[in-house]
Amino acid sequence: MSDSLERLYLAVLAARDLDPATSRTARLFQRGPSKMAKKLAEEAIEVVIDAVNGDSEAVIRESADLLYNLTVLWASAGVRPEDVWREMTRREDMLGIAEKLPKSPMKLPKVASPRVAARRPIVALEGRAARKRH
Ligand SMILES: N=c1c2ncn([C@@H]3O[C@H](COP(=O)(O)OP(=O)(O)OP(=O)(O)O)[C@@H](O)[C@H]3O)c2ncn1[C@@H]1O[C@H](COP(=O)(O)O)[C@@H](O)[C@H]1O
């Protein structure tokens, strides 16, 4: 999926400077971040409504619209897909360790990599609080 999003991101960057009369993306860039944010929020609500109504086909369509509008907002905010993938990997590493936390904090697992070692120490907290800390 990340390949599709990365291709879409490049297409959005390429469309940014097209004619707003013919390119929706160029029109969104012309209208600015508040319009982009409004469209993203609208799409998120449409996904929610379709999911609550059990319309999975509509959820699929609206999710594609949501991801398009998210990609446009990323581009406007100077966020690249790889920035988001890096954060997701960081959380996966962190939560992976948190889920393996032994009962006693003294037996913390060896750090998986220098990248993990650079992180704040993990404190054995109860249940969801452990997730909230990171
Ligand atoms: N992937 C998309 C894409 N997904 C969704 N959309 C647009 O987002 C709309 C969905 O949002 P809405 O339901 O709000 O549509 P709408 O009601 O017509 O929009 P508004 O009237 O509310 O503004 C669709 O009608 C599409 O026009 C997209 N528009 C463009 N792309 C891609 O973006 C790139 C640039 O395309 P242009 O923007 O056409 O240059 C290309 O690769 C395109 O494939």
Side-chain angles (χ1 to χ4, degrees):
M1 171 178 102
S2 59
D3 287 353
S4 304
L5 270 179
E6 285 162 4
R7 282 198 306 277
L8 175 56
Y9 182 80
L10 293 175
V12 160
L13 289 183
R16 177 167 45 186
D17 302 321
L18 294 179
D19 179 359
T22 54
S23 163
R24 175 189 178 79
T25 304
R27 193 158 59 249
L28 279 173
F29 273 96
Q30 185 183 54
R31 298 174 75 176
S34 53
K35 178 65 177 175
M36 296 171 183
K38 180 172 176 291
K39 293 307 296 172
L40 183 58
E42 283 173 4
E43 295 304 339
I45 290 166
E46 288 177 32
V47 170
V48 166
I49 291 169
D50 291 327
V52 167
N53 293 337
D55 186 344
S56 53
E57 284 307 310
V59 170
I60 291 167
R61 287 192 306 277
E62 295 304 337
S63 297
D65 288 343
L66 176 69
L67 290 173
Y68 161 72
N69 284 283
L70 177 62
T71 308
V72 171
L73 196 77
W74 283 352
S76 169
V79 169
R80 300 163 306 167
E82 54 267 33
D83 300 328
V84 178
W85 310 156
R86 188 165 49 251
E87 172 59 18
M88 290 170 72
T89 300
R90 188 187 73 83
R91 294 177 182 195
E92 187 182 348
D93 291 350
M94 189 64 71
L95 291 180
I97 293 177
E99 273 150 11
K100 293 192 203 94
L101 275 182
K103 291 275 178 288
S104 148
M106 299 314 290
K107 285 182 281 170
L108 284 176
K110 290 205 176 3
V111 289
S113 68
R115 185 160 49 101
V116 174
R119 290 198 195 109
R120 284 175 294 162
I122 293 174
V123 178
L125 296 176
E126 287 311 310
R128 284 184 55 80
R131 293 179 183 280
K132 288 246 180 287
R133 283 287 287 262
H134 309 301

